[in-house]
Amino acid sequence: DHPLVIAVDGPAASGKGTIAKGLARHFGLPHLDTGKLYRAAALALLRHDGDPDSEFSAIRAAQDIAGLLDDPELKSETVGGIASRISAYPAVRAVLLERQRDFAAQESGAVLDGRDIGTVIAPHATAKLFVTASSEERARRRHAELVANGLPVHLADVLIDIRARDERDSHRSAAPLVQAEDALLLDTTALGPDDALAEAIRLVEGCL
Ligand code: C5P
């Protein structure tokens, strides 16, 4: 009789966002892409000419994300890179914590995706998935996405960015990207979006 809460964590371009959206649709749950909050903070910082190396600037930006959550610029690699840098500040994470916890605690249940959902935001989630794929495959996907959006970049540069972001997200001391002990691993390297979602549904159903 507990509400169904699904935590989906994993590195950049692993497919976790698409899977989380598909799970939300399948189970009829609201969905929160928590990366968007960090990206909105990064965008607020850029718009205010803030300094990503200043914790004070980063905290101010995290307090000022209203109105930026649907901005098309959230998707850019520049914003993603700054999001990854400022998300290492525990005080920035603290500013964004409550709205994520509240979202996870809704009576309806919820699906959240990010880096620390199963470990920090919703440690009592009904089902926890850790979605991953090889860095080469993730770079290939992100590259195709950027090219499709009219942003020509070199695949090799995307791979370097992805590896740098993995390194930062996994080795920070505040809520690092790590598979929760009770999370189920879903490797999407060899799976298309439909097969990845089908497998995710199967894994969640096994937790009910
Ligand atoms: O998932 P996405 O690429 O949109 O996330 C952008 C950045 O925000 C990540 O690289 C990560 O550093 C940070 N993030 C986080 N915790 C989350 C979600 C995102 O630290 N729950």
Side-chain angles (χ1 to χ4, degrees):
D1 60 332
H2 284 293
L4 173 58
V5 177
I6 306 175
V8 183
D9 290 301
S14 57
K16 67 180 186 305
T18 309
I19 288 172
K21 259 182 238 143
L23 288 171
R25 207 180 324 111
H26 181 84
F27 291 102
L29 299 170
H31 166 234
L32 180 64
D33 164 7
T34 65
K36 246 192 190 183
L37 305 177
Y38 292 92
R39 285 172 178 267
L43 186 56
L45 185 124
L46 278 171
R47 297 252 168 101
H48 298 159
D49 276 325
D51 174 4
D53 292 322
S54 149
E55 182 168 9
F56 179 74
S57 248
I59 294 167
R60 284 287 297 274
Q63 288 165 337
D64 204 20
I65 62 173
L68 295 178
L69 292 167
D70 290 310
D71 198 292
E73 230 187 301
L74 292 185
K75 290 189 177 143
S76 80
E77 284 296 277
T78 308
V79 168
I82 292 175
S84 156
R85 286 167 64 187
I86 65 176
S87 68
Y89 293 121
V92 166
R93 309 196 68 81
V95 170
L96 301 175
L97 180 76
E98 195 170 86
R99 64 197 287 164
Q100 299 176 75
R101 286 249 169 97
D102 287 348
F103 195 91
Q106 292 174 87
E107 262 176 56
S108 56
V111 182
L112 293 89
D113 74 274
R115 303 290 187 291
D116 63 339
I117 309 304
T119 51
V120 174
I121 304 296
H124 304 297
T126 322
K128 299 182 186 179
L129 304 185
F130 192 82
V131 181
T132 186
S134 71
S135 53
E136 290 82 4
E137 173 60 18
R138 290 185 288 119
R140 204 190 54 71
R141 289 175 191 166
R142 181 54 55 87
H143 177 254
E145 199 176 282
L146 290 168
V147 169
N149 285 312
L151 297 163
V153 281
H154 291 293
L155 179 58
D157 292 333
V158 179
L159 182 59
I160 290 169
D161 276 1
I162 286 226
R163 288 190 171 148
R165 197 123 76 83
D166 285 356
E167 182 70 19
R168 253 197 317 264
D169 289 350
S170 308
H171 295 286
R172 68 184 178 212
S173 51
L177 170 67
V178 61
Q179 183 178 350
E181 228 172 273
D182 51 352
L184 303 166
L185 184 66
L186 173 49
D187 186 329
T188 68
T189 306
L191 299 178
D194 293 348
D195 290 335
L197 176 58
E199 181 60 13
I201 291 171
R202 204 184 61 77
L203 290 171
V204 171
E205 277 169 349
C207 298
L208 301 179

